[in-house]
Amino acid sequence: MILGLNCDKHILNKNNQSGFTLIEAIISLVMFGISFAGLFLLFGIAQQTSINTEKKMFLNIMANRIVESIANEGTNTDTTINPFDNQSHYDGSLNDCSTHSASATPNYKYQWCIDLQNQVGGFTGYDGEERTVSVVKEGSDLLINISLVVDGGSDGENLVQSYFSRRLRKGQL
């Protein structure tokens, strides 16, 4: 009799097939699609964050390079290019490279502008974006302020910023 019950169960299970129904398969595909879209969105955000981190690092290096260039020229005995005697070679906007002469001596502003353009892109003109170097003589010292604010994507909504300020004392260079 036990043998007979097993045969009856086997016959009943033959009619009930196991597996996914069409609706279950569609629901699993939709859930997979939503999960994949979320991962794709997060990958895009992570990639933009990485790009902006690289831009920020370059802006910090560039600001330090600008200060070091000005400090180095502060030891120059030529009064036409010494920033303690003539700040105009170093002071100004780095937004438009065509306003600086590549053949002028020295051509620091032109080179800084070109380097910024090559590394972080051209000036887009979004609200808040700026690339300026301010060199002001205060007594016998120089006050250098550098503002580098560039586009970080999202149509000007995400700006990458670097501000740098240094006081140079003529006797300590």
Side-chain angles (χ1 to χ4, degrees):
M1 215 183 239
I2 295 176
L3 201 46
L5 285 175
N6 283 342
C7 289
D8 290 337
K9 279 187 178 182
H10 181 63
I11 294 172
L12 290 174
N13 285 340
K14 198 174 190 181
N15 293 336
N16 291 336
Q17 294 182 355
S18 61
F20 289 110
T21 65
L22 182 60
I23 292 175
E24 290 171 332
I26 291 173
I27 289 173
S28 66
L29 283 174
V30 167
M31 289 174 54
F32 175 75
I34 290 171
S35 300
F36 185 72
L39 287 173
F40 190 72
L41 177 69
L42 287 176
F43 177 74
I45 291 170
Q47 186 177 19
Q48 188 63 44
T49 301
S50 175
I51 290 168
N52 287 345
T53 301
E54 285 179 22
K55 284 183 180 181
K56 175 80 171 177
M57 183 178 67
F58 177 78
L59 293 178
N60 288 335
I61 290 169
M62 187 70 195
N64 191 49
R65 180 177 143 206
I66 291 170
V67 168
E68 292 300 321
S69 297
I70 295 171
N72 186 43
E73 288 300 322
T75 62
N76 198 325
T77 57
D78 184 354
T79 58
T80 60
I81 61 173
N82 189 312
F84 288 97
D85 299 318
N86 186 357
Q87 294 85 40
S88 65
H89 287 296
Y90 312 97
D91 186 76
S93 172
L94 303 176
N95 294 343
D96 184 9
C97 299
S98 66
T99 61
H100 309 295
S101 174
S103 62
T105 303
N107 58 0
Y108 287 114
K109 286 191 287 189
Y110 177 77
Q111 191 59 51
W112 296 334
C113 185
I114 292 295
D115 288 348
L116 280 169
Q117 196 172 42
N118 291 339
Q119 291 293 322
V120 296
F123 183 76
T124 58
Y126 289 127
D127 189 34
E129 186 177 11
E130 66 177 325
R131 301 168 184 201
T132 59
V133 177
S134 171
V135 180
V136 178
K137 189 166 184 177
E138 288 187 350
S140 63
D141 298 341
L142 282 180
L143 182 60
I144 303 169
N145 291 310
I146 301 167
S147 296
L148 301 174
V149 182
V150 300
D151 179 34
S154 303
D155 297 329
E157 298 291 322
N158 184 14
L159 297 176
V160 178
Q161 306 170 6
S162 179
Y163 301 100
F164 209 79
S165 186
R166 174 99 34 101
R167 179 179 295 274
L168 296 179
R169 294 184 183 355
K170 190 172 187 174
Q172 294 180 343
L173 294 179

